[in-house]
Amino acid sequence: MPDEPAAPKPKSNFIRDIIDRHLASGRFDRVRTRFPPEPNGFLHIGHAKSLHLNFGLARDYGGLCNLRMDDTNPETEDQSYVDAIKEDVRWLGFDWEDREYYASDYYERLYEWAVALIKKGDAYVCDLTADQVREYRGTVTKPGTPSPYRDRSVAENLDLFARMRAGEFPDGSKTLRAKIDMASPNMLMRDPLMYRIRRERHYRRGDAWCLYPTYDWAHGQSDSIEGITHSICTLEFEVHRPLYDWFLDRLGVHHPQQIEFARLNLGHTVISKRRLLELVESGLVSGWDDPRMPTISGFRRRGYSPESIAAFCEKIGVAKDNSIVDLPLLEMCAREHLNRTSPRAMAVLRPLKVVITNYPADRVEEFDAVNNPEDPSAGTRKVPFSRELWIERDDFMEAPPPKFYRLSPGREVRLRYAYFIRCDEAVRDASGEVVELRCTYDPATRGGDNPPDGRKVKATLHWVSARHALDAEVRLYDTLFTVRDPLDVPEGADWKAALNPGSLETVRDAKIEPLLASAAPESRWQFERLGYFVADRRDARPGAPVFNRTVTLRDEWARLVKAGRDAA
Ligand code: ATP
Ligand code: MG
């Protein structure tokens, strides 16, 4: 059983302040929020922020949070996205119980409300083309020009609107528009569209409708229908708020309070579904759940836990100004949780053979290894040791620079849990590459303990017994983009140009300890000295394990930045 997502003490923020005021003044007597994704792509880490906010507020105020698909655009939406969204929301630990709603279920109600607005003289059928609508709308500095159809009679509007629904007119030939103010400084108030004619099959409604509501018309009313008290959305909807308020006031229906907060941006990646879709469709990543993607399903395959995503969302908090959060913060949250919960194991990514010349060829010993030093209840396991071992190629240097304390000719090191070994000789192949180290062990250091003579070593290496090792594929990742803000490119330039060609490195002949043969899909491990890894949930096969590195053990980046600073 995974832990419930951490529910740390609620930090106060401006949204909670507003809710507190509403509860105190009696404007609302309960808290009802919703998470309203459009099923046109997979959820990303920005959505996790919104989920934590909306479900978190409901939890903390004893209210409820709905899940609603804001599905008003038949061209881009699909059931497969609905399924993926639900799976991700569940995986993050949120339960919408029976409150699963669809804007597309409200089409009838929205239609009736549109008729009500027509009757009040607040909406009209317009015959301008899309280009003309744009032209007539004016600019920020120039007021718009009223549509020649603006003053159609209520009777004519009702007749035309009914016939639009009945399918009498071709796509794009007519729209329904709200009659607001063509001179408003807010461009969105200049008679915005409410309905378009579009003969497009909807993934849920099929061909029932040829008339589709705009997002602006559907969104606020959907919140109202559900009795939402606080409609929390991202900052770009601040300018839409007067429009949403206008609709609700004219209809005289339940009026939620919209509150805007800054969307999450993450460094060295992009998190907009449109861009992520472009990466998927162009084959630049293996899919929405590619472990390099900032999607929830990508993070899941990468090995991030729901708990670490929760901790991350809590840390970044909510604010009113847009900014970019850097990956090391997320990685820190991941390390913090994985350190406490991941069993340790030994694996060698770039194997170099070690032969212990004074160890009998047929002997096998088993040493006790600690499963998790942070969690004594995790116990110990047996790790087999024999004459031939694999160690990490990087752990040997023929001519070591100062401060390299690992293996080199004549140098002694500790093999974790096993023995001290000394390197006597490096064997080369014809090309001069070191292919084997010949070493001797000291029986007085059994279990990796210091010998009675008090000799010490400065390095402890991980290793795997060659005869017991299994081969594994291990995937190592770097950031998806080489720059912090990939979208910061000159007009017309391709934002995908800064994709990191080295974002995925596949190691095919890693050696892992036998225990890992039975690693369950999605089980998370710490490979000693190498980082946190997860057994890939898609590609691992019995006898052919595949592990993805979630994060390294230390913040290498911060270390390098610091090293650069110290050197300067
Ligand atoms: P995108 O631009 O990625 O398509 P969106 O806002 O169009 O995002 P929706 O599916 O409409 O995506 O979003 C569902 C909810 O998640 C909305 O309430 C939206 O405000 C919120 N949300 C989307 N992106 C972010 C983000 N980066 N940070 C915080 N909340 C977000
Ligand atoms: Mg959207």
Side-chain angles (χ1 to χ4, degrees):
M1 255 305 275
D3 304 349
E4 287 278 292
K9 271 212 182 62
K11 261 196 282 186
S12 89
N13 60 44
F14 76 97
I15 297 181
R16 288 173 190 277
D17 294 344
I18 293 172
I19 295 177
D20 289 340
R21 278 205 301 279
H22 286 162
L23 294 174
S25 73
R27 161 125 189 238
F28 296 114
D29 58 2
R30 74 216 146 83
V31 171
R32 188 78 174 241
T33 55
R34 84 290 179 262
F35 174 66
E38 183 181 355
N40 59 355
F42 281 49
L43 298 184
H44 51 61
I45 183 69
H47 293 115
K49 175 177 178 178
S50 177
L51 277 158
H52 277 276
L53 185 56
N54 282 295
F55 277 91
L57 289 169
R59 176 195 62 215
D60 297 339
Y61 284 93
L64 294 170
C65 180
N66 297 351
L67 176 65
R68 180 177 72 245
M69 302 299 156
D70 256 343
D71 50 359
T72 54
N73 186 354
E75 271 149 38
T76 55
E77 295 160 3
D78 194 71
Q79 183 62 39
S80 63
Y81 292 133
V82 173
D83 297 340
I85 288 169
K86 285 164 62 178
E87 182 176 351
D88 288 346
V89 173
R90 231 178 258 126
W91 180 75
L92 285 171
F94 300 108
D95 186 0
W96 60 90
E97 297 171 322
D98 58 350
R99 298 179 309 282
E100 177 177 332
Y101 300 118
Y102 293 82
S104 57
D105 286 344
Y106 306 148
Y107 285 177
E108 283 75 12
R109 176 84 79 82
L110 290 169
Y111 180 85
E112 285 161 26
W113 276 348
V115 167
L117 289 189
I118 292 173
K119 285 183 179 160
K120 293 178 72 179
D122 285 333
Y124 61 97
V125 173
C126 181
D127 296 4
L128 294 181
T129 64
D131 284 340
Q132 287 170 322
V133 167
R134 212 170 300 121
E135 240 169 73
Y136 276 67
R137 186 166 282 143
T139 65
V140 223
T141 50
K142 192 172 125 251
T145 313
S147 158
Y149 308 97
R150 197 171 201 260
D151 292 317
R152 274 179 165 150
S153 69
V154 167
E156 187 184 3
N157 280 322
L158 287 174
D159 173 60
L160 288 173
F161 191 50
R163 289 163 59 198
M164 281 165 71
R165 177 178 184 178
E168 283 189 31
F169 306 113
D171 284 11
S173 61
K174 287 185 171 27
T175 56
L176 186 75
R177 300 177 67 177
K179 192 171 177 178
I180 309 181
D181 179 3
M182 287 305 290
S184 171
N186 183 342
M187 301 286 288
L188 293 168
M189 300 297 272
R190 296 185 185 175
D191 292 11
L193 299 197
M194 295 169 64
Y195 279 96
R196 306 151 292 200
I197 304 175
R198 210 185 299 179
R199 283 171 181 76
E200 183 88 39
R201 170 171 282 257
H202 187 273
Y203 77 99
R204 288 185 82 242
R205 302 304 310 266
D207 296 320
W209 289 81
C210 63
L211 200 58
Y212 286 97
T214 59
Y215 183 84
D216 276 345
W217 166 239
H219 185 73
Q221 278 56 252
S222 300
D223 281 349
S224 176
I225 290 169
E226 291 175 19
I228 300 304
T229 56
H230 298 88
S231 300
I232 295 162
C233 60
T234 45
L235 278 185
E236 64 281 14
F237 286 97
E238 195 162 12
V239 288
H240 296 243
R241 175 149 41 95
L243 173 59
Y244 296 177
D245 286 344
W246 188 90
F247 282 136
L248 294 166
D249 288 342
R250 293 290 157 149
L251 291 169
V253 294
H254 168 74
H255 195 141
Q257 174 67 51
Q258 175 171 312
I259 306 172
E260 306 86 12
F261 71 101
R263 66 171 44 232
L264 169 66
N265 297 300
L266 198 58
H268 293 86
T269 190
V270 290
I271 46 174
S272 112
K273 278 182 286 182
R274 185 166 61 82
R275 314 251 182 205
L276 296 175
L277 178 65
E278 212 176 313
L279 294 178
V280 172
E281 287 188 330
S282 56
L284 291 166
V285 294
S286 65
W288 285 99
D289 69 350
D290 187 305
R292 295 168 292 178
M293 290 278 271
T295 51
I296 302 304
S297 53
F299 280 4
R300 176 176 179 180
R301 258 186 93 182
R302 177 75 169 260
Y304 286 106
S305 58
E307 292 86 348
S308 47
I309 294 174
F312 173 70
C313 291
E314 186 61 24
K315 275 218 166 59
I316 57 178
V318 284
K320 271 274 186 191
D321 35 28
N322 279 313
S323 64
I324 298 182
V325 175
D326 285 309
L327 279 164
L329 183 65
L330 175 67
E331 294 176 345
M332 184 187 88
C333 294
R335 286 189 192 98
E336 206 276 317
H337 180 246
L338 295 173
N339 181 43
R340 281 187 283 118
T341 53
S342 306
R344 274 51 171 174
M346 289 199 283
V348 173
L349 295 186
R350 294 179 180 81
L352 175 61
K353 174 75 69 74
V354 165
V355 178
I356 304 184
T357 53
N358 60 339
Y359 197 88
D362 55 358
R363 190 193 298 176
V364 173
E365 283 178 273
E366 289 197 318
F367 291 111
D368 287 322
V370 175
N371 284 332
N372 186 349
E374 304 290 321
D375 175 10
S377 74
T380 60
R381 68 185 184 283
K382 300 281 184 200
V383 182
F385 181 89
S386 62
R387 178 181 160 94
E388 298 199 356
L389 312 167
W390 298 112
I391 65 162
E392 215 62 66
R393 194 158 274 281
D394 282 359
D395 282 338
F396 172 79
M397 278 184 98
E398 185 126 62
K403 292 196 173 170
F404 182 91
Y405 299 118
R406 293 169 266 164
L407 216 49
S408 59
R411 173 80 55 76
E412 189 172 47
V413 299
R414 173 188 287 113
L415 294 180
R416 188 140 164 87
Y417 302 121
Y419 289 111
F420 283 19
I421 59 166
R422 182 183 309 276
C423 177
D424 304 317
E425 187 195 349
V427 181
R428 300 168 176 286
D429 66 7
S431 71
E433 196 192 343
V434 174
V435 289
E436 184 181 302
L437 302 178
R438 302 193 65 85
C439 302
T440 41
Y441 85 109
D442 178 356
T445 56
R446 195 165 192 287
D449 293 341
N450 287 335
D453 67 10
R455 227 160 69 239
K456 292 210 167 84
V457 289
K458 283 194 166 158
T460 298
L461 308 188
H462 62 276
W463 52 275
V464 179
S465 163
R467 132 148 56 131
H468 303 93
L470 300 160
D471 289 336
E473 178 176 322
V474 175
R475 296 156 180 178
L476 309 174
Y477 301 100
D478 196 354
T479 56
L480 188 52
F481 286 84
T482 54
V483 295
R484 185 167 184 251
D485 182 4
L487 299 183
D488 184 20
V489 288
E491 184 86 30
D494 182 11
W495 58 275
K496 298 192 293 310
L499 268 172
N500 180 2
S503 58
L504 167 64
E505 183 192 348
T506 305
V507 175
R508 292 194 197 281
D509 57 350
K511 307 290 182 187
I512 59 177
E513 70 167 275
L515 157 89
L516 291 171
S518 55
E522 288 202 79
S523 56
R524 304 187 188 93
W525 303 82
Q526 184 194 101
F527 291 178
E528 301 224 13
R529 297 176 65 224
L530 298 175
Y532 296 100
F533 293 75
V534 66
D536 190 85
R537 60 191 287 245
R538 301 237 179 272
D539 298 339
R541 299 278 170 272
V546 178
F547 290 91
N548 303 329
R549 179 152 69 188
T550 314
V551 277
T552 53
L553 284 186
R554 276 168 306 150
D555 184 347
E556 290 303 313
W557 192 27
R559 197 177 59 78
L560 292 175
V561 169
K562 184 168 179 302
R565 214 173 35 229
D566 291 349

